[in-house]
Amino acid sequence: MDFASIAGPDGERASLSSYRMKRGMHMYKVLLVDDERMILDGISTVVDWTSAGTELAGTARNGIEALDWIRRHPPDIVISDIKMPGMDGLQLAAKVSEEYPGTRFILLSGFGEFEYARLAMKYGVKHYLLKPCNENKIMEALREIAAELDQAEQREQFIRRLRYGMEKVLPHVKEQFLKEFVTNKMYGGATGTITAGCSSWSWRAERSG
C-alpha cells in the first residue's frame, strides 16, 4: 500500500482529544482486520487515529478472529479487508450487522472485487476503499463516520433530555390543571360540561366527608 505519514505533532493530537472530551465526545474505537501482516502494521502505524476522532482499539488477522474480538469488545468502527481466509470481510459485515447494527464498516477491496463489495450495501456498508489506498483516504472515511456518529449521539442525548424534561414537567402540569379546574368552579369561571363534572365531583367529596 502507498502510505505517507501525515501524523501531526503530539500537541495537536492531545489538543483534539481535549476538545472532544470538553464537548462530551469520546474517541470512537476502531478494529482493524487484514490477513496481510504488512498491511495491518502499515495502517496501524501511519494513520493518525486521534485526528480523525478515533483510537485503534485492536487488530485481527481474519473474520473469525475479528468476530470473536467484536463480541468481547464491541467497537464503533471496523476497517476490514474483503478477501480473507475463514470468514471474509463481507461475511463479517453480515454477521456484525445482525448482532451490532450500530457498528460502521470501511471495506478495503482489490480492483477485481470492487463490484462484489457493493453487495455489502444491504449490510449498511457505505465506505469502500480500493487497494492500493493511502492513509488520506482512510482518514477521510474515518472522519466522515465519526461525524455521523457524533450527530447520532447528539440526537440521542436530545431525546433523552426531552424525555427527562417531560417526565419532570408533566406532574406539575397535571397539578396546575387541577388547581385551575377547582378555582374556576369556586369562582364560577367554568361552565357547561366542566362545571357539571366539577359539581358532581364536589358533591361526591362532600358526601364522603
Side-chain angles (χ1 to χ4, degrees), residues 1-166:
M1 297 180 76
D2 174 25
F3 292 110
S5 177
I6 58 168
D10 290 341
E12 291 180 10
R13 298 185 185 188
S15 169
L16 181 62
S17 298
S18 301
Y19 171 77
R20 292 186 67 83
M21 285 190 289
K22 284 178 183 176
R23 298 197 62 186
M25 301 155 69
H26 66 276
M27 306 297 281
Y28 296 110
K29 297 184 185 302
V30 180
L31 173 65
L32 178 61
V33 190
D34 202 299
D35 62 319
E36 294 185 47
R37 172 59 66 183
M38 186 178 296
I39 293 177
L40 203 62
D41 292 343
I43 295 176
S44 299
T45 303
V46 303
V47 170
D48 185 357
W49 305 97
T50 304
S51 72
T54 63
E55 60 178 306
L56 182 61
T59 61
R61 295 293 299 274
N62 56 62
I64 296 173
E65 187 181 322
L67 187 59
D68 179 62
W69 195 97
I70 290 167
R71 284 170 174 164
R72 288 183 289 112
H73 317 282
D76 301 295
I77 305 168
V78 176
I79 301 176
S80 176
D81 188 18
I82 284 187
K83 228 173 184 181
M84 296 181 295
M87 178 187 291
D88 64 30
L90 205 53
Q91 292 170 322
L92 177 62
K95 281 278 189 184
V96 174
S97 70
E98 290 177 6
E99 298 182 27
Y100 305 93
T103 302
R104 307 300 177 92
F105 264 79
I106 298 173
L107 288 181
L108 307 177
S109 171
F111 183 79
E113 305 134 23
F114 191 63
E115 289 302 318
Y116 174 69
R118 291 182 184 275
L119 295 174
M121 287 181 67
K122 64 180 179 180
Y123 306 127
V125 180
K126 298 179 182 178
H127 298 273
Y128 312 100
L129 302 181
L130 280 174
K131 289 182 174 180
C133 60
N134 59 41
E135 73 278 10
N136 294 319
K137 293 292 184 183
I138 296 173
M139 294 277 293
E140 184 180 336
L142 284 171
R143 288 193 183 105
E144 191 173 322
I145 291 174
E148 291 172 1
L149 291 172
D150 283 345
Q151 290 177 354
E153 194 170 314
Q154 287 165 10
R155 282 195 297 271
E156 285 297 319
Q157 289 177 354
F158 173 76
I159 291 170
R160 283 197 296 270
R161 287 196 300 267
L162 186 63
R163 186 179 293 118
Y164 176 73
M166 290 296 290

